[in-house]
Amino acid sequence: MSTSFQNRMSTLVASTAASALSSHTSMTASQSNDPKANAGIVLQGYYRKLKTMKKKYFVLYSDTQDRSARLEYYDSEKKFKTNFGHPKRTIVLRTCFNINRRTDTKHKWVAALYNKDDCFCIVFDAEQDLNSWLRNLLSLQRGDDSTGDPPRPNFGSDDDEGAAGVAEKTDRANH
């Protein structure tokens, strides 16, 4: 094969790829006719439920005019696309009283969503995925775009003495 033919072929392939990429990236959710593109999807992907360790397709939605921010999961991405609107389960983030990282003896990267009925846990493949999902879950649950560290629970006493003050009172009471 001649060098000039190879150069022409590589130029043709590169220009075809570039035009395909530009046409693909220029399509935004607002321009799309696909109703799923306008549904407020924040994150999506395959992860495992801790309870069964079965792989599920999770979709995280932001607040929309007609629905609150929520986490839904489906058996597969195909079922999500073909059965849009009928998830296996929906968790409205506003109903969760706590969302955090859960320490598990068998799995390193687990996020837990606690509501009044139970605790739903998702096992992630990497810490980066866990952190991204937690950051978005907490932001959507609180309903703001806050920056910085997520809020931490305060287990101190009501009079703001903190753990040191409680320990000091316990020591005085025992002596």
Side-chain angles (χ1 to χ4, degrees), residues 29-148:
S30 62
Q31 295 169 330
S32 173
N33 292 331
D34 183 4
K36 289 176 272 199
N38 298 320
I41 295 173
V42 177
L43 292 171
Q44 56 190 340
Y46 278 101
Y47 302 103
R48 296 184 185 278
K49 285 177 47 183
L50 181 63
K51 189 173 184 177
T52 62
M53 285 309 293
K54 289 187 178 178
K55 196 181 245 187
K56 302 293 180 185
Y57 191 75
F58 290 89
V59 183
L60 179 61
Y61 294 92
S62 63
D63 285 316
T64 59
Q65 281 187 325
D66 56 337
R67 303 217 36 205
S68 295
R70 64 201 182 278
L71 175 69
E72 295 180 349
Y73 76 85
Y74 302 80
D75 285 327
S76 67
E77 184 177 9
K78 181 179 179 182
K79 288 192 177 182
F80 161 67
K81 289 180 177 178
T82 59
N83 203 14
F84 189 69
H86 300 287
K88 294 285 276 183
R89 181 171 178 182
T90 299
I91 300 171
V92 177
L93 299 181
R94 205 175 40 209
T95 65
C96 296
F97 62 83
N98 195 7
I99 299 173
N100 62 16
R101 182 176 183 161
R102 180 173 171 175
T103 305
D104 189 84
T105 56
K106 293 182 183 178
H107 311 286
K108 282 185 174 182
W109 303 295
V110 179
L113 289 83
Y114 298 88
N115 61 27
K116 67 181 180 74
D117 298 321
D118 78 303
C119 172
F120 182 81
C121 297
I122 307 167
V123 179
F124 293 91
D125 300 324
E127 187 172 21
Q128 186 177 13
D129 290 341
L130 169 67
N131 291 335
S132 174
W133 279 78
L134 273 178
R135 193 171 34 259
N136 282 286
L137 284 164
L138 287 168
S139 177
L140 292 170
Q141 179 200 31
R142 292 190 310 255
D144 61 8
D145 293 324
S146 64
T147 59

Side-chain angles (χ1 to χ4, degrees), residues 18-28 31:
S19 67
L21 181 62
S22 66
S23 67
H24 174 59
T25 55
S26 65
M27 175 90 103
T28 64
Q31 295 169 330

